[in-house]
Structures are given as structure tokens and as C-alpha cells.
Amino acid sequence: NCKPTKSCPFCGGNGNLFIRQDKFYGFNGFGDKKMKMRLQVICNKCHSRGKPIITDYLVNPSSSNYETIPEEYFDKAWDAWNRRV
């Protein structure tokens, strides 16, 4: 998932989207993991960061399987990177 982005305001580098687990909240009644994920755009040169976006509770999310994370969170992360001064 890649959206047109602004270059880094500090070094002119490109932003890359990173996804990781933010917090584990246990299991639901079916044994599925409930957790929140963190999405954040980080510069590939100087490592400056956009505002982190935290998802609502997701069931069995995976940072390697983007299909488990709703598209709206990707858009919010890229928008946060593009809105900074």
C-alpha cells in the first residue's frame, strides 16, 4: 500500500510505512488474539517519524499480512506524514 507522499522536510528522503503490534489485549471467546496495531511513516534516510496511528481492537492482526488491517489506517498514517510542516 503506497500513497503519493511528500519528501522528508529534514533531509529530502522518502517515507516508508512501518507496522507493528502496539498492545495485546488477550483473546476473544474463540481463542483469537485481540490487539491494536501501530502504523507510522519513517524517513528512509534520517529516520524522522510521522505521527503514529493506533488502530482500534483488531482480531488476529498481522504486520506481515496487510489484509488484516483496514485501509483507513494506512490512509491516516500517510496523511499524518504528508500534513507535517
Side-chain angles (χ1 to χ4, degrees), residues 44-85:
N44 66 340
K45 283 186 178 179
C46 72
H47 307 289
S48 63
R49 299 166 183 260
K51 177 184 173 187
I53 303 300
I54 309 299
T55 66
D56 293 325
Y57 294 109
L58 299 174
V59 176
N60 285 334
S62 168
S63 57
S64 61
N65 181 3
Y66 294 162
E67 294 175 5
T68 61
I69 301 172
E71 185 73 26
E72 68 187 88
Y73 294 109
F74 292 95
D75 292 340
K76 287 179 182 179
W78 285 114
D79 288 345
W81 173 259
N82 286 330
R83 270 196 306 260
R84 84 272 183 261
V85 285

Side-chain angles (χ1 to χ4, degrees), residues 10-64:
F10 304 108
C11 72
N14 296 316
N16 293 314
L17 181 66
F18 288 88
I19 303 169
R20 67 178 181 88
Q21 295 177 356
D22 189 61
K23 191 167 183 185
F24 175 67
Y25 287 92
F27 296 93
N28 66 10
F30 301 105
D32 298 319
K33 285 190 214 176
K34 291 186 337 183
M35 58 183 32
K36 292 186 177 187
M37 302 295 282
R38 172 188 292 255
L39 290 80
Q40 189 172 32
V41 178
I42 301 174
C43 176
N44 66 340
K45 283 186 178 179
C46 72
H47 307 289
S48 63
R49 299 166 183 260
K51 177 184 173 187
I53 303 300
I54 309 299
T55 66
D56 293 325
Y57 294 109
L58 299 174
V59 176
N60 285 334
S62 168
S63 57
S64 61

